[in-house]
Amino acid sequence: MSAPHIAAERLGADYFQDPYSVHARLRAKGPVTPVIMPGGVPVWLVTGYAEARAALADPRLSKRMPGWHPEPDSIIASMDLHMLNTDPPDHGRLRRLVNKAFTARQVERLRPRITAITAGLLDDMADQGAQRGQGAQRGQGAQRGQSEVDLLASFAFPLPITVICELLGVPPADRDDFRAWSATIVSDIPAPEVFQAHATAMARYFMALLAAKRQQPRDDLLSALLAARDDEDRLSENELVSMAFLLLVAGHETTVNLIASGMLALLLNPAELARLRADPSLTGSAVEELLRYVNPVSNATFRCAAEPLELGGVRIGRGDPVLVSLSGANRDPARFGDPDRLDLGRDSSGQLAFGHGIHYCLGAPLARLEAGIAVSGLLSRFGSISLAVPAASLRWRPSTLIHGLEALPVRLAP
Ligand code: HEM
């Protein structure tokens, strides 16, 4: 990396727990500052809103590191060639292959199914309380008729993973395997042997699944992509496995955190929660403000300067890695007044939780639909929702990409 004019700050474990105060401190030095990532890599971190938006739209910031290629036939090579890792023209070719399945219009057709999956999960959680009411063994602190559940494992995770599995044609029964593999892959500090084992398991899983679908195509997205591969030669074998990997990981790692961290934000801001309960028509704008406030994807994926450039008064050298902080941008007081306050009535448009530019989230309409159904479903089913542990004891996952809780224990009552 080119020599920074200010000393690089090393990001430690406290960054996973609370990225916002670290960003505020860095932003006070400048909108673009050098940092050393928890894994030891030096990068330029962009925490200013205007600079983040400019960086995400800047074609000089490439998704490929100059001169870097994965070992051919390696596991990394088999999952590396997806749209989020490519520049034009490959990016456009890959994105167009799946774009139609994710338009707002197409996704709206999934509403009845998403509502049904949500209702099933709400029933399961309510049943736990009903069983308690009938005298079954009580959990710690839970009252008669009250359920005590990990909202993340019982609701926020199964909803989006079931939806994306059904869309792709992946057996939902395997979802706990993906959860473990994917958590390792997006972690900043996995043990190298665990990373290798889980990445290999994920790649082999998709290779086997695609081979089975080639024999017996179904009415699902992966079968459609196989046809594009086999009949029209529009995608290579590695691009096919990479696409399946990206859609599955991006399709659930993110929305789970919008639902879980979003509910936590509401529980910690009871006046806002009451406001939403009193006026369910606020749901759409509430989801937008929750996106701005909870930032399921804390930092965008890495970019690399394909040529020297200037950003936020800083000179970035060719080959320098740049990390655009979406959570930093979304809490920049120069763009959103009183940014650390959750305000469901504010105008959150322009929030960068889904990114910006050509890599703007493909799944944004699906994520918004799922989150709206999930939050309104929870609030209408349970008149009382409260944290079952002190907020200070909640732990966040060790990832600089994803900002998500490890677990969210809550008490629910009708
Ligand atoms: C709350 C939920 C979600 C959030 C916050 C989110 C966030 C993001 C962000 C920030 C990016 C751009 C990253 C970058 O530029 O480095 C992105 C890209 C992407 N997202 Fe999402 N996402 C969500 C849900 C989904 C869902 C449900 C899918 C479904 C498949 C999805 C699929 C994708 C894909 C395929 C890309 C790559 C687009 C491209 O490179 O052109 N996302 N997402």
Side-chain angles (χ1 to χ4, degrees):
M1 201 166 104
S2 52
H5 59 288
I6 46 174
E9 172 162 337
R10 196 181 183 102
L11 303 180
D14 60 326
Y15 185 63
F16 302 134
Q17 300 308 312
D18 175 16
Y20 299 109
S21 51
V22 177
H23 293 152
R25 195 171 63 237
L26 291 170
R27 209 187 293 107
K29 295 185 206 171
V32 182
T33 48
V35 298
I36 300 176
M37 300 295 286
V41 181
V43 303
W44 293 105
L45 187 69
V46 184
T47 52
Y49 178 89
E51 294 74 14
R53 206 175 159 94
L56 292 171
D58 193 328
R60 294 170 299 175
L61 288 174
S62 161
K63 294 298 304 183
R64 309 300 293 180
M65 179 108 65
W68 182 84
H69 298 285
E71 289 281 316
D73 301 328
S74 65
I75 285 298
I76 298 291
S78 69
M79 294 197 289
D80 173 63
L81 283 181
H82 52 70
M83 69 187 97
L84 190 49
N85 267 356
T86 44
D87 295 327
D90 284 335
H91 169 263
R93 174 176 56 87
L94 294 169
R95 186 160 168 137
R96 274 192 298 278
L97 282 167
V98 286
N99 207 16
K100 268 203 213 111
F102 291 97
T103 59
R105 207 162 138 214
Q106 195 63 22
V107 158
E108 186 54 37
R109 296 167 65 171
L110 301 174
R111 183 183 286 277
R113 180 67 192 131
I114 298 173
T115 307
I117 298 168
T118 305
L121 295 168
L122 293 171
D123 287 347
D124 291 348
M125 293 193 294
D127 280 353
Q128 292 189 24
Q131 282 168 18
R132 270 201 188 95
Q134 287 158 11
Q137 208 180 11
R138 304 248 178 110
Q140 311 118 335
Q143 309 284 315
R144 280 175 93 79
Q146 200 180 53
S147 312
E148 190 170 309
V149 299
D150 174 2
L151 197 65
L152 200 127
S154 302
F155 186 69
F157 170 71
L159 174 57
I161 191 89
T162 307
V163 173
I164 195 72
C165 282
E166 289 186 1
L167 242 168
L168 293 176
V170 171
D174 300 328
R175 68 192 191 191
D176 288 332
D177 286 338
F178 305 135
R179 192 178 179 193
W181 298 336
S182 160
T184 302
I185 291 169
V186 304
S187 162
D188 274 50
I189 45 169
E193 62 285 1
V194 177
F195 180 86
Q196 186 66 23
H198 283 188
T200 305
M202 183 92 122
R204 293 219 171 112
Y205 178 88
F206 280 122
M207 287 173 194
L209 182 70
L210 289 163
K213 282 189 188 293
R214 191 167 263 137
Q215 298 299 320
Q216 253 192 324
R218 307 258 166 162
D219 182 17
D220 59 42
L221 197 54
L222 290 187
S223 300
L225 287 169
L226 268 166
R229 156 95 185 100
D230 295 348
D231 304 342
E232 303 157 46
D233 204 17
R234 277 156 63 199
L235 117 142
S236 71
E237 194 70 24
N238 279 351
E239 286 174 340
L240 187 56
V241 174
S242 303
M243 177 83 88
F245 161 75
L246 173 68
L247 292 176
L248 189 83
V249 172
H252 84 279
E253 275 290 3
T254 47
T255 315
V256 52
N257 301 317
L258 176 56
I259 298 171
S261 316
M263 280 309 300
L264 174 63
L266 290 171
L267 295 178
L268 296 178
N269 291 274
E272 294 305 292
L273 177 58
R275 191 174 175 187
L276 184 55
R277 277 195 188 279
D279 181 4
S281 74
L282 271 182
T283 304
S285 64
V287 167
E288 247 15 62
E289 170 67 350
L290 289 173
L291 280 159
R292 181 196 74 80
Y293 190 79
V294 305
N295 298 289
V297 175
S298 186
N299 296 318
T301 51
F302 280 104
R303 269 117 178 117
C304 198
E307 56 185 89
L309 60 116
E310 193 154 323
L311 184 67
V314 162
R315 182 116 191 105
I316 295 178
R318 180 175 186 274
D320 283 2
V322 174
L323 192 59
V324 177
S325 181
L326 307 173
S327 54
N330 279 342
R331 299 276 191 110
D332 180 351
R335 175 62 180 80
F336 296 103
D338 200 0
D340 296 327
R341 189 165 63 86
L342 181 73
D343 174 0
L344 302 187
R346 82 160 79 213
D347 177 5
S348 315
S349 57
Q351 56 80 11
L352 292 182
F354 288 123
H356 177 64
I358 62 167
H359 294 284
Y360 179 81
C361 180
L362 176 79
L366 178 57
R368 287 187 168 114
L369 182 64
E370 288 178 345
I373 293 173
V375 171
S376 57
L378 265 172
L379 298 189
S380 52
R381 177 68 68 97
F382 300 106
S384 156
I385 308 177
S386 55
L387 266 181
V389 295
S393 70
L394 294 170
R395 305 313 304 155
W396 298 83
R397 290 167 51 186
S399 170
T400 50
L401 174 66
I402 297 296
H403 189 51
L405 290 160
E406 300 271 11
L408 181 58
V410 294
R411 294 203 185 104
L412 306 168

